[in-house]
Amino acid sequence: MRLVPWQPDDLLRRLDDVVSVYGEAMGYRAELLQTRRGYIGAHARRPGFRAVATLTTEGRLAGFGYGYTSGPGQWWHDQVRTALDEPDRRRWLTDCFEVVELHVRPSAQGHGVGARQLRALLAMAAGATVLLSTPEADEQTSRAWRLYRRFGFVDVLRDFYFPGDERAFAILGRDLPLAERAAPEDAPGIVGI
Ligand SMILES: CC(C)(COP(=O)(O)OP(=O)(O)OC[C@H]1O[C@@H](n2cnc3c(N)ncnc32)[C@H](O)[C@@H]1OP(=O)(O)O)[C@@H](O)C(=O)NCCC(=O)NCCS
């Protein structure tokens, strides 16, 4: 498999595959995926957009991740801003890259693909901090949580509810740049894996 950087048009060209990986990874139903498809297409045009993809030797999409500069007027940013007190807003949102999606097809999980994607994405990201949201889960058994903790993400908000979603989320963050030692997996960046 190989990890590649994606331009906005690369993601848009493979939007069907992106939505399929997303649906498999999150276990979402078709209706919800159609809504997300529209959002993902629009996200690719946001300032500071960065994306990575993992392709199999046959060119099949095994995983992807993307994010952009977090700013006022964006729904996610505004929800998080409202929930933070002033010092934390300054601390986390002044110059922030949001990791919006990070997914690996279930059949490809557990081989370091997610870690390599996250490392590459953060290496390309502009900003002083990075934030993401992830469903609340058992930190010991959730692969996503273990991954984020390995990368040094700390709690920014816990048990947070976005309007219209009944699941509890955590908002996790860390400073950028990613120090060499912050994520010990041996992913050297955009290379064959
Ligand atoms: C979360 C997610 C992106 C992580 O991707 P992943 O490829 O499964 O994760 P990794 O391979 O980096 O880490 C998984 C395991 O591989 C191990 N690993 C890391 N590097 C490795 C390597 N080079 N070789 C073999 N194994 C390795 C890690 O120790 C890790 O073990 P652990 O899960 O027991 O801690 C992926 O599991 C996923 O898409 N999950 C469903 C959707 C989701 O939760 N997305 C995030 C929501 S915000």
Side-chain angles (χ1 to χ4, degrees):
M1 287 200 272
R2 71 203 161 91
L3 181 63
V4 294
W6 260 2
Q7 297 302 312
D9 285 343
D10 298 320
L11 182 140
L12 294 173
R13 233 184 339 265
R14 297 207 58 172
L15 201 47
D16 287 342
D17 295 332
V18 163
V19 171
S20 143
V21 168
Y22 178 72
E24 272 189 41
M26 295 299 280
Y28 284 161
R29 286 185 323 240
E31 311 91 84
L32 183 63
L33 289 180
Q34 274 319 305
T35 318
R36 292 304 301 176
R37 192 180 207 286
Y39 288 131
I40 294 171
H43 289 167
R45 300 296 180 207
R46 290 203 164 157
F49 177 84
R50 302 282 189 276
V52 294
T54 304
L55 303 171
T56 67
T57 40
E58 297 81 33
R60 187 172 143 86
L61 186 67
F64 72 95
Y66 75 80
Y68 46 69
T69 304
S70 189
Q74 297 168 359
W75 185 83
W76 190 94
H77 178 102
D78 292 342
Q79 300 302 325
V80 173
R81 170 174 290 276
T82 304
L84 292 177
D85 58 21
E86 188 47 37
D88 275 346
R89 270 181 213 152
R90 260 203 311 280
R91 159 86 177 89
W92 291 107
L93 291 174
T94 304
D95 183 15
C96 173
F97 181 83
E98 179 195 340
V99 173
V100 181
E101 304 295 351
L102 181 78
H103 303 290
V104 175
R105 232 184 252 285
S107 56
Q109 288 177 10
H111 300 286
V113 170
R116 283 158 203 251
Q117 288 184 163
L118 184 57
R119 173 182 278 276
L121 191 60
L122 297 186
M124 298 189 306
T129 56
V130 51
L131 286 181
L132 57 81
S133 51
T134 194
E136 288 285 355
D138 183 333
E139 295 198 22
Q140 311 311 318
T141 57
S142 158
R143 215 162 235 167
W145 274 86
R146 284 201 302 264
L147 178 67
Y148 299 139
R149 292 302 197 207
R150 278 206 306 275
F151 271 70
F153 279 83
V154 299
D155 294 346
V156 177
L157 286 170
R158 295 296 302 261
D159 288 311
F160 180 71
Y161 288 86
F162 290 98
D165 196 329
E166 60 203 15
R167 290 169 306 168
F169 281 83
I171 312 296
L172 304 178
R174 60 154 291 143
D175 290 323
L176 287 177
L178 189 64
E180 277 307 306
R181 285 176 297 124
E185 277 76 16
D186 56 321
I190 310 285
V191 292
I193 58 175

